[in-house]
Amino acid sequence: MKQLPFMGVICIVMLFIVYRTTIYQYHKTEMEMKLYRFEMVKQPSGKLRSLPRGIMQVRSDLEIRPLWMSSSSRQASVNMNKNLLAMPVGIMQKENVDNVVQKFLAANFTIILFHYDGNVDGWWDLDWGDKAIHVVAHNQTKWWFAKRFLHPNVVSIYDYIFLWDEDLGVDHFDPKRYLQIVKTAGLEISQPALDPDSTEIHHKITIRSRTKKLHRRVYELRGKTKCSKASEGPPCSGFVEGMAPVFTRSAWYCAWHLVQNDLVHGWGLDMKLGYCSQGVSSKKVGVIDSEYIVHKGIQSLGGSGYPATRTTVKRNGASGFDLRTEIRRQSTWELEVFKERWNRAVEEDKNWVDPFLRYQSRKKQTSTHLRS
């Protein structure tokens, strides 16, 4: 009988240990599902049933691995970077790309460069040349590369994906400070603001405000596009441009599916990216003013991957034609195709409800209720 209290204590201790273990396993599973919810193998298909589930790895990454390691280093965990910078690059922008990459490497980013001009050897003399991943495909665009090499299962370990053009000045930009602002504001899709002196500014919402840390909307009552307090959606709110978008893991999972495999110039994507903001785009999409960039526009055609100096070439032995004109004509055609596909998809999907319209309806109902 004297042992009963002791046994009771032992039982309580064991129950506590079981409880704590269960809670730990629950939180670990919850974290794994949060980080890798797009890649978990729930029920193996017929093609995978010959493999035990525990051996399946459905995700990958862009981390460079050594060919061999010492016995001591094998025991150490692999240090993986948590953010990714992806850029289309040509050798004519080498100096500017070098400036950008050095800033991001200092912030522990993984770097992947898409070489649209086929010149990779010209980059090996840089200190970081062998630290970046180099992908080569002649005369391909940023969106062509992104669709094929930034699949969500490959980039799922990265918290943020920076998909930038090559001709951006970063003298006033710090990646770490930028991400601190983005996280604090809860933004899923963002971009650094453009210096007012930048070339080719297409939308006022992307221009830097000197008095703000960030902004989510713009007011403009002049010009073709008017943005008032009542304006919802791009380009007045919930909008970033295609030259320097930054995505969270979840937002990129959605955006990758939005990128069309055959429409390589990406025209029209910026107007629809708000649908991937994982919530109300006017709150989840923003432009960071305190960390801004300069769009130089020297040799890049808006991420199309063609140097501006090669504007006249021969085709089939005929006289030269203007390459910029041809690319713009192709881009305009792709824009119309993208719009048609979107409209057709909306019409055919009877269960889809436009979140923009749903939010506007709720906002209007709330406003009516408050007035009454």
Side-chain angles (χ1 to χ4, degrees):
M1 295 295 292
K2 292 182 179 180
Q3 293 181 349
L4 288 178
F6 176 75
M7 294 298 294
V9 172
I10 294 297
C11 290
I12 292 173
V13 171
M14 292 182 66
L15 287 173
F16 178 76
I17 293 174
V18 171
Y19 169 77
R20 294 294 299 176
T21 302
T22 303
I23 292 296
Y24 170 78
Q25 291 177 340
Y26 169 78
H27 285 300
K28 183 178 181 182
T29 303
E30 189 180 49
M31 182 61 67
E32 289 177 348
M33 290 296 292
K34 182 178 180 181
L35 291 175
Y36 311 121
R37 58 187 177 276
F38 312 126
E39 306 85 25
M40 300 295 287
V41 178
K42 296 180 180 179
Q43 186 63 41
S45 63
K47 297 178 181 179
L48 296 175
R49 285 175 184 167
S50 60
L51 295 177
R53 291 184 62 180
I55 201 63
M56 299 180 194
Q57 291 200 357
V58 293
R59 66 182 182 89
S60 183
D61 57 58
L62 295 171
E63 300 305 293
I64 295 176
R65 309 279 177 160
L67 292 178
W68 68 90
M69 293 184 290
S70 63
S71 57
S72 59
S73 61
R74 289 177 192 144
Q75 305 299 324
S77 60
V78 178
N79 182 27
M80 290 189 178
N81 298 322
K82 301 301 293 182
N83 302 299
L84 175 70
L85 170 67
M87 295 177 65
V89 300
I91 197 65
M92 297 180 69
Q93 285 280 19
K94 181 179 178 180
E95 181 179 352
N96 192 70
V97 172
D98 183 26
N99 293 333
V100 175
V101 170
Q102 287 194 49
K103 281 213 168 186
F104 279 83
L105 280 177
N108 296 321
F109 273 66
T110 295
I111 310 295
I112 181 169
L113 301 181
F114 303 130
H115 298 270
Y116 58 77
D117 61 354
N119 190 335
V120 180
D121 292 339
W123 299 82
W124 297 128
D125 62 322
L126 298 175
D127 293 339
W128 51 263
D130 58 351
K131 296 181 177 67
I133 297 170
H134 302 266
V135 180
V136 183
H138 281 271
N139 294 337
Q140 299 305 312
T141 70
K142 175 169 72 176
W143 300 107
W144 183 93
F145 282 109
K147 187 66 173 179
R148 286 151 183 82
F149 299 102
L150 299 183
H151 188 280
N153 283 6
V154 175
V155 300
S156 64
I157 72 166
Y158 305 108
D159 294 332
Y160 292 89
I161 295 96
F162 287 61
L163 188 54
W164 281 19
D165 288 353
E166 61 179 333
D167 55 347
L168 304 175
V170 293
D171 291 343
H172 307 284
F173 180 84
D174 182 272
K176 289 184 178 180
R177 289 199 298 264
Y178 180 90
L179 288 180
Q180 288 175 354
I181 297 171
V182 167
K183 292 175 183 178
T184 302
L187 301 179
E188 292 284 330
I189 302 175
S190 62
Q191 76 160 80
L194 295 178
D195 185 277
D197 294 331
S198 298
T199 62
E200 300 180 18
I201 295 179
H202 303 291
H203 303 281
K204 187 175 179 180
I205 193 172
T206 63
I207 301 176
R208 179 194 177 212
S209 171
R210 300 182 184 275
T211 61
K212 299 178 181 179
K213 182 175 291 186
L214 66 92
H215 65 271
R216 294 180 173 89
R217 61 164 54 246
V218 68
Y219 301 99
E220 178 61 61
L221 300 179
R222 298 173 298 176
K224 183 178 180 180
T225 302
K226 295 179 174 58
C227 297
S228 64
K229 291 184 178 180
S231 300
E232 294 290 344
C236 300
S237 67
F239 177 84
V240 297
E241 202 166 359
M243 70 174 67
V246 178
F247 303 91
T248 63
R249 180 191 300 111
S250 299
W252 177 246
Y253 180 83
C254 172
W256 183 89
H257 287 81
L258 179 64
V259 176
Q260 304 295 289
N261 189 64
D262 57 328
L263 306 182
V264 298
H265 292 286
W267 279 31
L269 279 176
D270 51 4
M271 291 294 178
K272 301 300 182 185
L273 286 178
Y275 286 96
C276 292
S277 62
Q278 313 299 300
V280 180
S281 62
S282 59
K283 299 179 180 179
K284 295 290 187 178
V285 181
V287 178
I288 309 303
D289 297 295
S290 58
E291 300 298 320
Y292 62 98
I293 57 177
V294 178
H295 183 211
K296 299 180 178 181
I298 300 174
Q299 295 164 335
S300 172
L301 286 177
S304 293
Y306 290 89
T309 53
R310 293 178 57 195
T311 56
T312 304
V313 298
K314 289 186 177 181
R315 178 173 56 184
N316 298 328
S319 59
F321 72 105
D322 184 61
L323 187 56
R324 282 181 174 269
T325 301
E326 294 295 323
I327 291 176
R328 181 166 292 276
R329 183 178 292 115
Q330 174 71 20
S331 301
T332 303
W333 176 80
E334 289 188 7
L335 174 61
E336 295 306 314
V337 173
F338 181 76
K339 288 180 179 179
E340 292 174 3
R341 288 182 185 178
W342 177 273
N343 293 334
R344 183 169 63 250
V346 170
E347 183 179 353
E348 293 176 350
D349 192 346
K350 303 302 180 182
N351 296 321
W352 184 75
V353 179
D354 191 326
F356 279 119
L357 298 179
R358 182 169 52 191
Y359 173 70
Q360 291 177 8
S361 177
R362 290 178 180 176
K363 189 176 180 180
K364 185 175 181 181
Q365 291 176 3
T366 301
S367 177
T368 302
H369 177 73
L370 291 175
R371 286 199 300 268
S372 63

